[in-house]
Amino acid sequence: MILGQFDPLKGERLQIMNEEGVIVKPELMPELSVETLLTIYKTMKFSRIIDEKTLQYQRQGRMLTYAPNLGQEATQVASVAASRQTDWIAPSFRELGVWLYRGAPLDKIFLYWFGNELGMKMPEEVRILPISVPIASQMQHATGLAYASRYKGLDDIAIAYVGDGGTSQGDFHEALNFAAVQDLPNVFIIQNNQFAISTRRMLQTRAETLAQKAIAYGIPGIQVDGNDVFAVYAATSEAVERARSGKGPTLIEAYTYRMGAHTTSDDPTVYRQEEEVKEWAAKDPIMRLKKYLIAQGHWDEAQDAAYEEERGKYVKTVFEAVEKTGLMPLEDIFDFVYAERTPILESQYRHKKAFYEKEVK
Ligand SMILES: Cc1ncc(C[n+]2csc(CCOP(=O)(O)OP(=O)(O)O)c2C)c(N)n1
Ligand SMILES: [Mg+2]
């Protein structure tokens, strides 16, 4: 058992593979087939390729806004890999690795960032809720899903992803308390990427770790190295198993780093030093897993280059097709809130329409 072995109050953090891709805790190594491990690696790399290309498209004025995931790939992919396809996911907005691993179509993801909400209408077999921009609101959705699953006598669990900033929202407390009291089949994963836009983690809470917040709810909490796929997978597997067998929710804090900007409208050089980013680049989760896979003889540089080239071309093709669909009509912003526009909405609409006709067309 990993849960319970690492005390967040003592600053203990689970790490199984170190920064060099070396296994330092073989006794805690989770069981993972080579095939699954390669799927995890490829998904992480695919996520990175999409991020890098999308940032370029945005800078070329071809994409609206975008929230990159650089650095958080292990946290996202290894955690979802520990769940079943039928388990529910309640994401925030920065979970590209989760969408990709579950098989969300890339054109849909691009469509969303292109301003089209229909991009979040996932195929039935992809049990991921739409992006939840109001911070931490998805926590409640996850408890609802878990409650419904148990009510129906199913053993599907629900995973919620939330940021370090999200832990300061009331929704975080309500969801954890409710799930704990009701013994709900939930797993709550905090992606502690050290920032909430420009607000550093240390300004978010006086608590030494985010994982220790679990203690107040009477549930297990663990901090893991979020850039170590094995640590993330091992802890999430146990948490998923606990939830599925009726033992209740778990809180996991994945300690990672947002290597890119908050979104494309943010400039992180204003609030953090290049040195810090470099330090974290040396802990890159993709590089780490790649070293391990190559050392084990499961992967090589030629395969890596070929995969990168093939995926790069694929991303370009998908993006160019989505780009052709054009921007959404202005009316869409106003037409889905009320059956009829209120006088204030109507006046805002006229104002915006005049602006668009003058400035945009
Ligand atoms: C309720 C609410 N307040 C403020 C915002 C504006 N906002 C968007 S992202 C963000 C920071 C979130 O930080 P964190 O939870 O750490 O997630 P991250 O962006 O690091 O993934 C804020 C304050 C929002 N979307 N919703
Ligand atoms: Mg954050």
Short mmCIF file of all heavy atoms in Angstrom, two decimals, residues 67-68 72 92-95 132-138 162-169 171 190-199 204 258 262-263, ligand 1:
data_model
loop_
_atom_site.label_atom_id
_atom_site.label_comp_id
_atom_site.label_asym_id
_atom_site.label_seq_id
_atom_site.Cartn_x
_atom_site.Cartn_y
_atom_site.Cartn_z
N ALA A 67 -4.38 27.29 -23.71
CA ALA A 67 -3.73 27.04 -22.41
C ALA A 67 -2.79 25.85 -22.55
O ALA A 67 -3.25 24.71 -22.61
CB ALA A 67 -4.79 26.75 -21.34
N PRO A 68 -1.49 26.10 -22.65
CA PRO A 68 -0.56 24.97 -22.87
C PRO A 68 -0.35 24.10 -21.63
O PRO A 68 -0.55 24.54 -20.50
CB PRO A 68 0.75 25.67 -23.26
CG PRO A 68 0.65 27.06 -22.77
CD PRO A 68 -0.80 27.40 -22.63
N GLN A 72 3.32 19.21 -17.71
CA GLN A 72 2.32 18.51 -16.89
C GLN A 72 1.86 17.18 -17.51
O GLN A 72 0.88 16.59 -17.08
CB GLN A 72 1.12 19.43 -16.64
CG GLN A 72 1.50 20.67 -15.85
CD GLN A 72 0.37 21.66 -15.64
OE1 GLN A 72 0.56 22.85 -15.79
NE2 GLN A 72 -0.82 21.18 -15.29
N SER A 92 -10.68 20.47 -15.63
CA SER A 92 -10.80 21.93 -15.64
C SER A 92 -10.62 22.35 -17.10
O SER A 92 -11.52 22.11 -17.90
CB SER A 92 -9.83 22.59 -14.66
OG SER A 92 -8.51 22.13 -14.83
N PHE A 93 -9.49 22.91 -17.46
CA PHE A 93 -9.35 23.33 -18.87
C PHE A 93 -7.98 22.99 -19.44
O PHE A 93 -7.70 23.24 -20.59
CB PHE A 93 -9.58 24.84 -18.99
CG PHE A 93 -8.78 25.63 -17.99
CD1 PHE A 93 -7.47 25.98 -18.25
CD2 PHE A 93 -9.33 25.97 -16.77
CE1 PHE A 93 -6.73 26.67 -17.32
CE2 PHE A 93 -8.59 26.67 -15.82
CZ PHE A 93 -7.27 27.02 -16.10
N ARG A 94 -7.09 22.42 -18.59
CA ARG A 94 -5.71 22.20 -19.03
C ARG A 94 -5.39 20.70 -18.97
O ARG A 94 -4.43 20.30 -18.35
CB ARG A 94 -4.78 22.96 -18.08
CG ARG A 94 -3.41 23.29 -18.66
CD ARG A 94 -2.47 23.76 -17.58
NE ARG A 94 -2.83 25.02 -16.99
CZ ARG A 94 -2.65 26.22 -17.55
NH1 ARG A 94 -2.07 26.30 -18.73
NH2 ARG A 94 -3.02 27.33 -16.95
N GLU A 95 -6.21 19.88 -19.59
CA GLU A 95 -6.02 18.44 -19.45
C GLU A 95 -5.86 17.73 -20.79
O GLU A 95 -6.43 16.67 -21.03
CB GLU A 95 -7.18 17.81 -18.65
CG GLU A 95 -7.02 17.91 -17.16
CD GLU A 95 -7.40 19.27 -16.61
OE1 GLU A 95 -8.28 19.93 -17.19
OE2 GLU A 95 -6.80 19.72 -15.61
N SER A 132 -14.45 23.12 -17.79
CA SER A 132 -15.13 23.93 -16.78
C SER A 132 -14.24 25.15 -16.49
O SER A 132 -13.27 25.02 -15.74
CB SER A 132 -15.30 23.09 -15.52
OG SER A 132 -16.56 23.21 -14.99
N VAL A 133 -14.55 26.25 -17.08
CA VAL A 133 -13.70 27.43 -16.88
C VAL A 133 -13.86 28.05 -15.48
O VAL A 133 -12.87 28.46 -14.88
CB VAL A 133 -13.88 28.47 -18.01
CG1 VAL A 133 -13.14 29.76 -17.69
CG2 VAL A 133 -13.37 27.89 -19.33
N PRO A 134 -15.08 28.12 -14.90
CA PRO A 134 -15.16 28.64 -13.53
C PRO A 134 -14.34 27.73 -12.60
O PRO A 134 -14.69 26.56 -12.41
CB PRO A 134 -16.66 28.59 -13.20
CG PRO A 134 -17.34 28.48 -14.53
CD PRO A 134 -16.40 27.72 -15.42
N ILE A 135 -13.28 28.26 -12.06
CA ILE A 135 -12.30 27.45 -11.33
C ILE A 135 -12.95 26.60 -10.23
O ILE A 135 -13.69 27.10 -9.39
CB ILE A 135 -11.21 28.36 -10.71
CG1 ILE A 135 -10.49 29.16 -11.81
CG2 ILE A 135 -10.20 27.56 -9.88
CD1 ILE A 135 -9.77 28.35 -12.84
N ALA A 136 -12.64 25.32 -10.26
CA ALA A 136 -13.06 24.30 -9.27
C ALA A 136 -14.52 23.88 -9.36
O ALA A 136 -14.94 22.97 -8.63
CB ALA A 136 -12.72 24.72 -7.84
N SER A 137 -15.29 24.47 -10.25
CA SER A 137 -16.71 24.07 -10.35
C SER A 137 -16.85 22.60 -10.74
O SER A 137 -17.81 21.94 -10.35
CB SER A 137 -17.46 24.96 -11.35
OG SER A 137 -16.75 25.00 -12.58
N GLN A 138 -15.86 22.08 -11.46
CA GLN A 138 -15.92 20.68 -11.89
C GLN A 138 -15.84 19.70 -10.72
O GLN A 138 -16.20 18.53 -10.85
CB GLN A 138 -14.82 20.38 -12.92
CG GLN A 138 -13.40 20.32 -12.37
CD GLN A 138 -12.76 21.70 -12.19
OE1 GLN A 138 -13.41 22.71 -12.36
NE2 GLN A 138 -11.49 21.74 -11.85
N VAL A 162 -8.06 19.41 -10.67
CA VAL A 162 -8.18 20.79 -10.22
C VAL A 162 -6.77 21.36 -10.08
O VAL A 162 -5.81 20.61 -9.87
CB VAL A 162 -8.99 20.86 -8.89
CG1 VAL A 162 -8.23 20.22 -7.74
CG2 VAL A 162 -9.40 22.27 -8.53
N GLY A 163 -6.63 22.68 -10.19
CA GLY A 163 -5.31 23.29 -10.07
C GLY A 163 -4.99 23.66 -8.63
O GLY A 163 -5.85 23.58 -7.75
N ASP A 164 -3.74 24.05 -8.38
CA ASP A 164 -3.35 24.51 -7.03
C ASP A 164 -4.21 25.72 -6.65
O ASP A 164 -4.68 25.84 -5.51
CB ASP A 164 -1.86 24.86 -6.97
CG ASP A 164 -1.40 25.64 -8.18
OD1 ASP A 164 -1.56 25.15 -9.31
OD2 ASP A 164 -0.88 26.77 -8.01
N GLY A 165 -4.45 26.61 -7.61
CA GLY A 165 -5.30 27.78 -7.34
C GLY A 165 -6.72 27.36 -7.01
O GLY A 165 -7.37 27.94 -6.14
N GLY A 166 -7.18 26.32 -7.66
CA GLY A 166 -8.55 25.84 -7.45
C GLY A 166 -8.81 25.36 -6.03
O GLY A 166 -9.96 25.36 -5.57
N THR A 167 -7.74 24.99 -5.31
CA THR A 167 -7.95 24.50 -3.94
C THR A 167 -8.40 25.61 -3.00
O THR A 167 -8.84 25.34 -1.88
CB THR A 167 -6.67 23.84 -3.36
OG1 THR A 167 -5.65 24.84 -3.26
CG2 THR A 167 -6.16 22.71 -4.24
N SER A 168 -8.28 26.88 -3.44
CA SER A 168 -8.73 27.99 -2.59
C SER A 168 -10.21 28.32 -2.80
O SER A 168 -10.75 29.19 -2.10
CB SER A 168 -7.91 29.25 -2.90
OG SER A 168 -6.56 29.03 -2.61
N GLN A 169 -10.83 27.67 -3.75
CA GLN A 169 -12.24 27.94 -4.03
C GLN A 169 -13.14 27.17 -3.05
O GLN A 169 -12.80 26.06 -2.63
CB GLN A 169 -12.59 27.51 -5.45
CG GLN A 169 -11.99 28.35 -6.53
CD GLN A 169 -12.64 29.71 -6.64
OE1 GLN A 169 -11.99 30.73 -6.52
NE2 GLN A 169 -13.94 29.74 -6.86
N ASP A 171 -15.77 25.61 -3.75
CA ASP A 171 -16.19 24.35 -4.39
C ASP A 171 -15.28 23.19 -4.01
O ASP A 171 -15.73 22.04 -3.91
CB ASP A 171 -16.17 24.47 -5.92
CG ASP A 171 -17.13 25.52 -6.43
OD1 ASP A 171 -16.99 26.68 -5.99
OD2 ASP A 171 -17.98 25.19 -7.27
N ILE A 190 -5.03 17.07 -7.73
CA ILE A 190 -4.59 18.47 -7.82
C ILE A 190 -3.36 18.52 -8.71
O ILE A 190 -2.36 17.87 -8.42
CB ILE A 190 -4.21 19.04 -6.43
CG1 ILE A 190 -5.36 18.88 -5.43
CG2 ILE A 190 -3.78 20.50 -6.56
CD1 ILE A 190 -4.96 19.17 -3.98
N GLN A 191 -3.45 19.26 -9.78
CA GLN A 191 -2.24 19.48 -10.59
C GLN A 191 -1.58 20.73 -10.01
O GLN A 191 -1.92 21.85 -10.40
CB GLN A 191 -2.59 19.74 -12.05
CG GLN A 191 -3.20 18.56 -12.76
CD GLN A 191 -3.11 18.73 -14.26
OE1 GLN A 191 -2.05 18.70 -14.86
NE2 GLN A 191 -4.25 18.95 -14.91
N ASN A 192 -0.66 20.52 -9.09
CA ASN A 192 0.04 21.66 -8.51
C ASN A 192 1.18 22.04 -9.46
O ASN A 192 2.29 21.51 -9.38
CB ASN A 192 0.58 21.31 -7.12
CG ASN A 192 1.42 22.44 -6.55
OD1 ASN A 192 1.52 23.52 -7.13
ND2 ASN A 192 2.05 22.19 -5.42
N ASN A 193 0.86 22.98 -10.35
CA ASN A 193 1.88 23.43 -11.32
C ASN A 193 2.56 24.71 -10.84
O ASN A 193 3.20 25.41 -11.61
CB ASN A 193 1.26 23.60 -12.71
CG ASN A 193 0.19 24.69 -12.75
OD1 ASN A 193 -0.04 25.38 -11.75
ND2 ASN A 193 -0.46 24.85 -13.88
N GLN A 194 2.41 25.00 -9.56
CA GLN A 194 3.09 26.09 -8.84
C GLN A 194 2.53 27.49 -9.09
O GLN A 194 2.96 28.44 -8.44
CB GLN A 194 4.61 26.10 -9.11
CG GLN A 194 5.29 24.74 -9.00
CD GLN A 194 5.16 24.10 -7.62
OE1 GLN A 194 5.02 24.80 -6.63
NE2 GLN A 194 5.18 22.78 -7.55
N PHE A 195 1.59 27.61 -10.02
CA PHE A 195 1.04 28.94 -10.31
C PHE A 195 -0.46 28.91 -10.57
O PHE A 195 -0.99 27.95 -11.11
CB PHE A 195 1.69 29.53 -11.59
CG PHE A 195 3.14 29.87 -11.42
CD1 PHE A 195 4.11 28.96 -11.80
CD2 PHE A 195 3.54 31.08 -10.88
CE1 PHE A 195 5.46 29.25 -11.64
CE2 PHE A 195 4.88 31.39 -10.72
CZ PHE A 195 5.84 30.47 -11.10
N ALA A 196 -1.10 30.02 -10.16
CA ALA A 196 -2.47 30.29 -10.59
C ALA A 196 -2.32 31.63 -11.34
O ALA A 196 -2.21 32.68 -10.72
CB ALA A 196 -3.41 30.43 -9.41
N ILE A 197 -2.23 31.57 -12.62
CA ILE A 197 -1.78 32.68 -13.47
C ILE A 197 -0.44 33.17 -12.90
O ILE A 197 0.53 32.42 -12.95
CB ILE A 197 -2.83 33.80 -13.64
CG1 ILE A 197 -4.23 33.19 -14.00
CG2 ILE A 197 -2.40 34.75 -14.77
CD1 ILE A 197 -5.32 34.19 -14.28
N SER A 198 -0.41 34.36 -12.26
CA SER A 198 0.87 34.85 -11.73
C SER A 198 1.01 34.61 -10.22
O SER A 198 2.05 34.94 -9.64
CB SER A 198 1.01 36.34 -12.03
OG SER A 198 -0.10 37.02 -11.47
N THR A 199 -0.02 34.07 -9.59
CA THR A 199 0.02 33.86 -8.14
C THR A 199 0.74 32.56 -7.81
O THR A 199 0.30 31.48 -8.22
CB THR A 199 -1.40 33.84 -7.54
OG1 THR A 199 -2.04 35.07 -7.87
CG2 THR A 199 -1.38 33.67 -6.03
N GLN A 204 -0.98 30.96 -2.16
CA GLN A 204 -2.32 30.38 -2.29
C GLN A 204 -2.85 29.91 -0.94
O GLN A 204 -4.03 30.00 -0.66
CB GLN A 204 -2.25 29.20 -3.26
CG GLN A 204 -3.55 28.83 -3.91
CD GLN A 204 -4.11 29.94 -4.75
OE1 GLN A 204 -5.18 30.45 -4.43
NE2 GLN A 204 -3.43 30.33 -5.81
N ARG A 258 4.33 24.32 -14.38
CA ARG A 258 3.81 24.82 -15.65
C ARG A 258 4.96 25.48 -16.40
O ARG A 258 5.34 26.58 -16.08
CB ARG A 258 2.70 25.85 -15.35
CG ARG A 258 1.77 26.17 -16.50
CD ARG A 258 1.02 27.46 -16.24
NE ARG A 258 1.91 28.59 -16.39
CZ ARG A 258 1.80 29.76 -15.74
NH1 ARG A 258 0.83 29.95 -14.89
NH2 ARG A 258 2.67 30.71 -15.95
N HIS A 262 0.53 30.81 -18.68
CA HIS A 262 -0.80 30.40 -18.21
C HIS A 262 -1.71 30.12 -19.41
O HIS A 262 -2.28 29.05 -19.55
CB HIS A 262 -1.39 31.49 -17.31
CG HIS A 262 -2.82 31.26 -17.00
ND1 HIS A 262 -3.23 30.24 -16.17
CD2 HIS A 262 -3.94 31.89 -17.40
CE1 HIS A 262 -4.56 30.26 -16.10
NE2 HIS A 262 -5.01 31.25 -16.83
N THR A 263 -1.84 31.14 -20.25
CA THR A 263 -2.48 30.96 -21.55
C THR A 263 -1.69 31.84 -22.52
O THR A 263 -0.75 32.53 -22.11
CB THR A 263 -3.96 31.44 -21.59
OG1 THR A 263 -3.98 32.85 -21.37
CG2 THR A 263 -4.84 30.72 -20.59
C1 LIG B 1 -14.17 31.31 -10.33
C2 LIG B 1 -13.08 31.85 -11.19
N1 LIG B 1 -12.28 32.84 -10.75
C3 LIG B 1 -11.29 33.32 -11.52
C4 LIG B 1 -11.08 32.82 -12.78
C5 LIG B 1 -9.95 33.35 -13.65
N2 LIG B 1 -8.90 32.35 -13.74
C6 LIG B 1 -8.76 31.58 -14.82
S1 LIG B 1 -7.50 30.45 -14.65
C7 LIG B 1 -7.12 31.01 -13.12
C8 LIG B 1 -5.99 30.41 -12.32
C9 LIG B 1 -6.21 28.98 -12.02
O1 LIG B 1 -5.07 28.45 -11.38
P1 LIG B 1 -5.00 26.92 -11.03
O2 LIG B 1 -6.23 26.48 -10.35
O3 LIG B 1 -3.72 26.71 -10.32
O4 LIG B 1 -4.98 26.21 -12.47
P2 LIG B 1 -3.89 26.36 -13.64
O5 LIG B 1 -4.28 27.52 -14.48
O6 LIG B 1 -2.55 26.54 -13.00
O7 LIG B 1 -3.98 25.10 -14.41
C10 LIG B 1 -7.97 32.08 -12.75
C11 LIG B 1 -7.88 32.80 -11.47
C12 LIG B 1 -11.95 31.80 -13.24
N3 LIG B 1 -11.82 31.25 -14.44
N4 LIG B 1 -12.93 31.33 -12.43
#
